[in-house]
C-alpha cells in the first residue's frame, strides 16, 4: 500500500506542475485500460493516456468495473503522460468471487515509452514499449492453484496506426501488441505455473469513430494457460466509447473472458469512466 | 434480315458490356469530386469564411495570425482548398514551407487549426465522411507546417 500511496502523491505533485493539456484531437488518447495504462479496456495501446502533445503533459484518472457471470473486477487508477513520450500508470484491481464474496486484489505499475512514429500523421505507426509490474496482495488463491510467484513483470511492444479517412470515410485505428508475460488470469492467479512459464502473447484492437464523439471497436487478448489445475482462455470485447468533451470519456463493453478458475464462459458487461487533464 | 445478331456483333456487344462494367460504372453515375461535395465555389468560399471566424476567436492560434492579411489569406485558402479537393483552381500562393518558416507552429497549434476547420465544415453542413477526406489531404502538409 505504501508504494501505491507514494505513486499517488508523486503523481499529484507532478500534476500540480502541469497545465491542462488538450491539444490533440479528441479521442486520440483512447481510454484507460484495466492496467491503468492508456489503451482500450482489456489491453493497453501504443497511445499514451490524455491529450498531451510533445510540448505538454497530461494526467488521466479512471474507475472501471467488469461484471461477468461469477465474478466482478473493480479497477481504479491513474496515469501521467509526460510530453506524449513517457507514461507512468498505476491501478488497483479488486476481483470478487460472487459465490462467497472472497476478494483478490493486486496493484499494477506501468511505464510506457513512445519510441517511434505518430498515431495519425506520417507513414510510421506509433510504436511504444511498455513494462507492467504486478503485485498480488492476496496470494493465497494463487498458491493454492499452483502459481509459482505472487508478482511478475510483463514487457510489451505496441504499434498503433490511425487513418483520418479510413473505411467508410471514418477515422479508424488498428493496434497490435506483443507481450511477454507469466501472468495467470491477468496476474490475479499469480505468475508462472506448473505447465508453462513466460510466453509471448498477441493482443489486438480495432476502433472506428462513427462520429467525432462516438467510437466503436473490438479487442482481443491472447492469454497463456500455465496452470495444469485450471483452464485459461483468451479474452475479447466489443466496445462503444463516448467522448462528450476532451476531458471525459465513458466506455461500455461486452467482454468474454472464457473459463476463469473452473467457471466456464465468463461473459458480461464492462463500464469505464475516465477523466483527463 | 437476321433473326439474331451475328457472332461478331454479339461478341462486340459482350466486350462492350464487359468494358463498360469495368470502366463505365462511374461514368453512368458520375461520382462528384470532393470539391463538388463541398458545394463548389460557393461552398468553399463559405467554409473559408466560417474557418476565418473560428480562427479569429481561437485564443490558441490567433497570435500566429497577428501579421497576416485576412483578405490575402481568404483568397489563397480558397484557391488551396479548391485545388486540393480536385476543383478547377491553381494555388498561386507561397509554398507551405515559405509561409510557416520562422513561425514555429507547434503540434498543438496545428491540431487547433484542424479543429477550427472541422468546426467550420460542420457549421457548413459538410458530411463527416467528406470532412475526413478533406482533412486527410490537408494532414499530409503537416511536415511542411509545424516546427519550422
Amino acid at each position: 500500500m505504501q508504494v501505491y500511496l507514494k505513486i499517488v502523491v508523486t503523481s499529484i505533485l507532478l500534476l500540480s506542475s502541469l497545465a491542462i493539456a488538450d491539444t490533440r484531437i479528441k479521442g486520440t488518447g483512447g481510454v484507460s485500460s484495466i492496467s491503468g495504462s492508456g489503451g482500450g479496456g482489456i489491453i493497453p495501446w501504443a497511445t499514451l493516456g490524455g491529450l498531451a502533445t510533445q510540448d505538454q503533459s497530461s494526467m488521466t484518472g479512471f474507475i472501471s468495473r467488469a461484471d461477468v457471470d461469477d465474478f466482478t473486477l473493480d479497477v481504479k487508477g491513474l496515469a501521467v503522460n509526460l510530453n506524449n513520450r513517457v507514461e507512468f500508470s498505476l491501478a488497483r484491481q479488486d476481483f470478487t468471487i460472487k459465490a462467497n464474496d472472497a476478494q483478490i486484489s493486486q496493484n499494477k505499475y506501468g511505464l510506457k515509452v513512445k519510441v517511434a512514429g505518430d498515431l495519425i500523421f506520417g507513414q510510421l505507426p506509433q510504436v511504444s514499449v511498455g513494462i507492467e509490474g504486478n503485485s498480488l496482495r492476496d496470494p493465497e488463491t494463487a498458491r493454492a492453484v499452483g502459481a509459482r510467484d505472487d508478482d511478475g513483470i510483463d514487457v510489451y511492444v505496441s504499434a498503433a496506426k490511425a487513418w483520418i479517412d479510413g473505411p467508410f470515410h471514418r477515422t479508424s485505428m488498428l493496434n497490435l501488441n506483443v507481450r511477454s508475460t507469466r501472468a495467470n488470469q491477468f496476474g490475479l492467479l499469480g505468475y508462472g505455473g506448473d505447465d508453462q512459464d513466460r510466453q509471448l502473447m498477441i493482443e489486438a484492437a480495432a476502433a472506428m469513430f462513427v462520429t467525432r464523439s462516438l467510437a466503436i471497436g473490438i479487442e482481443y487478448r491472447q492469454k497463456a494457460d500455465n496452470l495444469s489445475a485450471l483452464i485459461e482462455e483468451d479474452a475479447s470485447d466489443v466496445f462503444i466509447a463516448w467522448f462528450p468533451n476532451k476531458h471525459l470519456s465513458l466506455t461500455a463493453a461486452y467482454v468474454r473472458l472464457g473459463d476463469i478458475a473452473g467457471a466456464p464462459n465468463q461473459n458480461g458487461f464492462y463500464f469505464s469512466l475516465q477523466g483527463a487533464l | 434480315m437476321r433473326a439474331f445478331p451475328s457472332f461478331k456483333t454479339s461478341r462486340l456487344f459482350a466486350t462492350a458490356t464487359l468494358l463498360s462494367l469495368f470502366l463505365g460504372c462511374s461514368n453512368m453515375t458520375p461520382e462528384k469530386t470532393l470539391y463538388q461535395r463541398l458545394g463548389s465555389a460557393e461552398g468553399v468560399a463559405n467554409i473559408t469564411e466560417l474557418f476565418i471566424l473560428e480562427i479569429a476567436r481561437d485564443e490558441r492560434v490567433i497570435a500566429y495570425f497577428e501579421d497576416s492579411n485576412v483578405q490575402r489569406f481568404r483568397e489563397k485558402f480558397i484557391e488551396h482548398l479548391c485545388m486540393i479537393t480536385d476543383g478547377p483552381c491553381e494555388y498561386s500562393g507561397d509554398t507551405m514551407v515559405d509561409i510557416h518558416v520562422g513561425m514555429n507552429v507547434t503540434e498543438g497549434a496545428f491540431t487547433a487549426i484542424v479543429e477550427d476547420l472541422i468546426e467550420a465544415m460542420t457549421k457548413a453542413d459538410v458530411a463527416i465522411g467528406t470532412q475526413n477526406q478533406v482533412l486527410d489531404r490537408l494532414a499530409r502538409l503537416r511536415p511542411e507546417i509545424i516546427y519550422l
Side-chain angles (χ1 to χ4, degrees), chain A residues 41-78:
Chain A
I42 58 172
I43 62 169
W45 294 351
T47 51
L48 276 55
L51 293 178
T53 60
Q54 60 183 283
D55 312 304
Q56 297 168 323
S57 296
S58 59
M59 184 168 170
T60 51
F62 71 98
I63 48 168
S64 303
R65 162 170 267 230
D67 190 336
V68 295
D69 297 290
D70 297 309
F71 310 98
T72 57
L73 177 68
D74 289 285
V75 193
K76 47 191 181 291
L78 42 84

Side-chain angles (χ1 to χ4, degrees), chain A residues 22-26 52-55 84 114 118 120-121 163-166 168-171 209-212 246, chain B residues 37 60 106-112 114-115 118 121-122 128-133 135-136 139-140 142 146-147:
Chain A
D22 60 356
T23 51
R24 263 162 54 216
I25 293 167
K26 193 170 77 173
T53 60
Q54 60 183 283
D55 312 304
N84 203 23
K114 173 181 157 183
D118 186 274
I120 300 177
F121 303 103
W163 293 268
I164 294 174
D165 184 23
F168 308 104
H169 297 301
R170 290 299 185 275
T171 301
F209 274 90
V210 181
T211 71
R212 300 260 176 243
K246 285 186 164 185
Chain B
R37 275 178 284 144
R60 300 170 297 177
T106 61
E107 199 186 341
F110 183 86
T111 306
V114 170
E115 289 172 344
I118 290 173
M121 289 193 289
T122 303
I128 188 168
T130 308
Q131 289 186 18
N132 285 341
Q133 290 170 73
L135 295 173
D136 185 49
R140 289 174 203 171
R142 186 172 180 264
I146 64 167
Y147 298 109

